[in-house]
Structures are given as C-alpha cells and as structure tokens.
Amino acid sequence: MLLEIKDIHVHYGKIAALKGISVEVNEGEIVTLIGANGAGKTTTLKTISGLRGLSSGTITFDGKDISKLPGHKRVMAGLGQAPEGRGVFPGMTVYDNLLMGAYTRSGDFGDDLAEVFELFPRLAERKTQMGGTMSGGEQQMLAIGRALMAKPKVLLLDEPSMGLAPLMVQQIFSIIEEINRRGTTVLLVEQNAQQALKLAHRAYVLETGKVVKSAPAADLLDDPDVQAAYLGGGLGHDAPPERDGAESRDVPGEQA
C-alpha cells in the first residue's frame, strides 16, 4: 500500500472537522473522495499534505509514518498537490510557475518540463504569459503541471473541475487519466461525483467528517443511495455531467 490514512481526527479549535477517517490508496490507482459540501474532503487532502495538523491518527506514505513530517518534506518524499482554487502565482509566467513546482529538487528539469508541455500543449503556447491572465481552465492545467514538476508518487487533486465549462472538464479528466496511465497514483477530491466515479478505480463517500461508504467506483455508480444523494436521483450512467458544486466550508476558513 502506497498511502494509508488511518483513523485521523482533525480539529479547528473545538470543532471536529474529521472524525476518524481511514483511506487506503494503492500504487497505480485513482481513488476518489466524494461527498456533499462540508463533508471534510478538502480537509483530508490538506491533512495528508501537511497543511493541517492531526489531533490523532496516522498517515503512512511509502512505508513511513509521515504524520508529523513538515509539508515541504512530504513533497520531497513524493506527495504533490494541486489545490482547490488552483493557487497559481498571478504575477509570474507560466514557465516560472512550473519551475516553482520543482523547488525541492535540483538538477536539470528539461525533460520534466517537456512532459508537462506534452500533457498540456496550451501551457507550452503560453509559457511566457502571466499566470493571473489565464482562463480558469488554463490555470487548472498550470496547477496540475506545477504539481507534476515535483515528480510525485501520489498526486493530490482538489476539485479540478470547479468552475470549468463542460468541455474543459472532459479535457481535464482525460489528462488526469493519462497522468495515471503514465504511472502516477492519484487521490482525487471532486464535487462532480459522476465524473469522478467514472474515472476512479475505487471511491470513498464522506459525510460530516466520516467515511460512510467505500467500494469500487463502478459499484458506487450503481448504488441507489449514492445515485439519490450525488448523481441526481438515480439518473445513473446516462446522466449528463452534473454542474460543478458551489464552494462550501467545513468550518469558517476551510473548504469542503
């Protein structure tokens, strides 16, 4: 097992955001976390990447306990994240944004840049453009490309479809599938449950800081409870992609 989150609890002051979540991610998988706004999905990713501290529980990555490891050392160990909201550096070029993704590394990044530009030709076309002047879809490509520059073993993706037009959503999900095909394990948080379940190998359903279901993603697509709660009331496989969910918060200051 490449990544194991075991019985983690996270608090914001006295408010419990995560209440004993356990998730397993095997090498080569795409695993998705779905759930309503406020379920704790983003908090889970932030805790894995070291942006939020644990109250209790453990995080094991590549055979090592990283529960107390600083965030930058988790990046060096092989965890990369494209955050919700993209977080590009608006006053820096596309090229320089990508180089920021490799800040923990040394040596020549030419081959890595070439691979990112192969995955995202639009970034190659706009490599001298300022990140803040790009469209939402282009910024999402840049955020994923920047995370890939760290050469992660596991790529954490937080709401990659948020606010994007349907055609761009399809393009982003196709690229995520290709990234996984090339050998990067993916842990995906996504409000667009139908798209996520079609893409992923396995899935976990979160509600109010707890895991309430876990199964192969294809099984959850056919689960009546999941259909009713997240797929438009039993529309199933032939349903049109649901609209991107509105932003929400676990607790003041935190996304879902």
Side-chain angles (χ1 to χ4, degrees), residues 175-194:
I175 292 169
I176 294 169
E177 187 173 30
E178 175 62 17
I179 289 168
N180 177 250
R181 189 190 69 77
R182 294 186 182 193
T184 302
T185 302
V186 176
L187 179 57
L188 169 69
V189 159
E190 179 53 57
Q191 192 69 28
N192 191 327
Q194 187 175 56

Side-chain angles (χ1 to χ4, degrees), residues 159-171:
E159 301 285 7
S161 78
M162 180 177 285
L164 303 184
L167 285 177
M168 182 59 73
V169 171
Q170 293 290 344
Q171 185 176 357

Side-chain angles (χ1 to χ4, degrees), residues 75-144:
V75 175
M76 295 171 69
L79 283 171
Q81 182 169 0
E84 181 180 14
R86 296 141 199 164
V88 304
F89 298 99
M92 297 173 64
T93 65
V94 167
Y95 179 82
D96 287 338
N97 264 275
L98 291 174
L99 288 185
M100 287 297 292
Y103 79 100
T104 61
R105 301 174 57 206
S106 60
D108 180 17
F109 309 127
D111 290 345
D112 304 313
L113 281 166
E115 185 171 4
V116 169
F117 287 146
E118 180 189 354
L119 285 166
F120 302 102
R122 196 171 303 186
L123 297 184
E125 296 167 3
R126 290 163 167 75
K127 63 183 177 182
T128 61
Q129 185 173 334
M130 294 299 175
T133 66
M134 303 178 77
S135 70
E138 291 166 346
Q139 289 190 18
Q140 186 62 67
M141 293 177 182
L142 182 54
I144 296 173

Side-chain angles (χ1 to χ4, degrees), residues 220-236 242:
L220 290 181
L221 267 175
D222 293 326
D223 186 299
D225 293 336
V226 173
Q227 288 182 355
Y230 307 112
L231 304 179
L235 294 174
E242 66 181 48

Side-chain angles (χ1 to χ4, degrees), residues 10 12 15-19 21 33-44 84 158-159 162 189-191 205-212 230 245-256:
V10 173
Y12 300 106
I15 300 173
L18 302 183
K19 308 168 186 175
I21 284 181
L33 310 180
I34 65 171
N37 292 332
K41 305 183 300 295
T42 288
T43 297
T44 300
E84 181 180 14
D158 196 353
E159 301 285 7
M162 180 177 285
V189 159
E190 179 53 57
Q191 192 69 28
V205 181
L206 273 60
E207 291 181 5
T208 60
K210 298 179 180 179
V211 173
V212 295
Y230 307 112
E247 291 187 9
S248 71
R249 303 188 180 273
D250 291 322
V251 294
E254 284 303 314
Q255 293 292 342

